[in-house]
Amino acid sequence: MYITKPFNVQYLEKLVERFLHQKDNLKEYYGSAVSSYQMSKGQLVHKDDKEIFDRIIMIIDQNISNPELNVELISSSLGISTRQLYRRIKSVTEQTPSDLIKEQKLKMAERLLISTNLSIDEIIFKTGYTNRGNFFRIFSAKHQMTPKQYRNQKKNEVEGTN
C-alpha cells in the first residue's frame, strides 16, 4: 500500500487494523473444512479426491488403447491399493473403477466415430477392446444402436444444422 506524506496517524492505524483483520480471515478460511472442498457436479468433493480422480482419468486416457488396462494397472500407477482406489472413486462418483474405464473407452469411441473416418475395427483397436462382439454389445447397450448407425445419425445431425 502506498501512503502519501504527510499521512494521518488514524488513517495508518485503520489500514494496519484492516490488514490484520484480513490476515485473520484468510487464516480462518484456509484452516477450515470449507476450503478443502469444491463443488463438482452438484456435490461437495474433497480437493484431494478430485485431484486423484483427475489423475485416474489421465491414466485411463494415456492407456486407452492398451487392452491390459484394468483396475490393477491404475492402482499401481497411482501407488495405492485397489481397495483404496475403489474408495477414492466411490467418494467422487458412484461408479466402480471398471465402469469408469468402460465409460472413458466409450467416450473415446464416440469421439472417434464422429471426428474421424476410421473404420469401426480401427476404433475398436484404438479404444483397447480385443473382442468386437463385446464392444458392439456395450456400445449398443448405451446408445440403443450400432456404432455405424451412431456415426450416421451424428453426421445427419451436423448436416441438418448447416
Side-chain angles (χ1 to χ4, degrees):
M1 167 133 317
Y2 182 78
I3 301 174
T4 59
K5 292 181 184 175
F7 57 86
N8 185 342
V9 175
Q10 291 172 337
Y11 178 70
L12 180 62
E13 287 174 348
K14 286 289 183 188
L15 285 176
V16 170
E17 188 178 309
R18 192 170 60 191
F19 278 126
L20 291 174
H21 183 69
Q22 186 178 14
K23 180 183 172 190
D24 290 340
N25 285 343
L26 287 172
K27 189 186 291 185
E28 183 180 320
Y29 172 76
Y30 285 112
S32 73
V34 174
S35 67
S36 306
Y37 290 89
Q38 60 186 15
M39 198 63 117
S40 177
K41 296 182 182 175
Q43 66 181 22
L44 283 177
V45 177
H46 196 275
K47 287 183 179 180
D48 292 340
D49 292 336
K50 178 77 169 123
E51 185 178 303
I52 289 280
F53 185 77
D54 291 341
R55 286 179 52 205
I56 291 167
I57 298 297
M58 185 182 71
I59 290 168
I60 292 171
D61 288 344
Q62 289 171 347
N63 294 290
I64 201 135
S65 62
N66 181 358
E68 302 297 318
L69 176 61
N70 58 23
V71 178
E72 288 78 23
L73 182 110
I74 295 171
S75 63
S76 66
S77 296
L78 290 172
I80 60 176
S81 69
T82 54
R83 182 173 284 196
Q84 186 67 21
L85 179 66
Y86 273 89
R87 278 192 216 117
R88 287 294 185 97
I89 289 177
K90 199 68 155 172
S91 67
V92 177
T93 179
E94 290 298 314
Q95 295 178 313
T96 65
S98 302
D99 291 340
L100 191 60
I101 293 169
K102 278 185 213 172
E103 181 183 311
Q104 287 300 110
K105 285 184 171 193
L106 282 177
K107 283 181 183 178
M108 175 63 81
E110 292 165 10
R111 282 189 296 244
L112 291 173
L113 282 167
I114 295 169
S115 63
T116 67
N117 288 326
L118 295 173
S119 71
I120 304 298
D121 288 331
E122 289 172 319
I123 291 172
I124 291 170
F125 177 75
K126 283 192 175 288
T127 54
Y129 284 96
T130 55
N131 186 333
R132 190 174 200 269
N134 188 30
F135 173 77
F136 272 85
R137 183 177 48 77
I138 292 170
F139 192 92
S140 298
K142 182 174 182 185
H143 297 288
Q144 288 76 43
M145 62 181 79
T146 65
K148 186 175 183 175
Q149 291 169 333
Y150 180 84
R151 175 182 269 170
N152 291 337
Q153 178 185 354
K154 293 298 179 182
K155 284 186 178 180
N156 289 339
E157 287 176 8
V158 169
E159 289 171 0
T161 58
N162 290 336

